[in-house]
Amino acid sequence: MFNSGGMFHCYGNSRSIDSNDAIPPRYLDARGGIDLEQVQRDQLQARRQVVQSMVRRLKQLWRGG
């Protein structure tokens, strides 16, 4: 996905990658790297929210509402 020119290619569009907009500040660690544990926690929370939303929707459909 990345080439030596620092361009990001996705679906025919390309733009330069700036570290300021590529990684949200909440995921940066104290050394300027990526806090993978925080990323994984947020991914897990997002998955839980999706499942909870699906269960709520199924309950609504089951009840006819």
Side-chain angles (χ1 to χ4, degrees), residues 31-42:
R31 296 178 294 165
I34 300 172
D35 183 356
L36 292 178
E37 290 177 1
Q38 181 65 44
V39 172
Q40 291 171 345
R41 285 190 298 267
D42 285 358

Side-chain angles (χ1 to χ4, degrees), residues 36-63:
L36 292 178
E37 290 177 1
Q38 181 65 44
V39 172
Q40 291 171 345
R41 285 190 298 267
D42 285 358
Q43 288 175 337
L44 180 61
Q45 181 180 359
R47 284 188 204 107
R48 285 180 180 155
Q49 290 174 349
V50 167
V51 171
Q52 289 171 351
S53 176
M54 290 182 346
V55 168
R56 280 193 302 270
R57 182 63 181 142
L58 288 171
K59 286 180 180 179
Q60 289 175 347
L61 290 171
W62 183 259
R63 293 178 188 152

Side-chain angles (χ1 to χ4, degrees), residues 11-28:
Y11 304 108
N13 296 327
S14 64
R15 67 179 179 89
S16 63
I17 295 292
D18 182 10
S19 63
N20 292 332
D21 69 355
I23 303 171
R26 79 180 265 107
Y27 298 126
L28 295 177

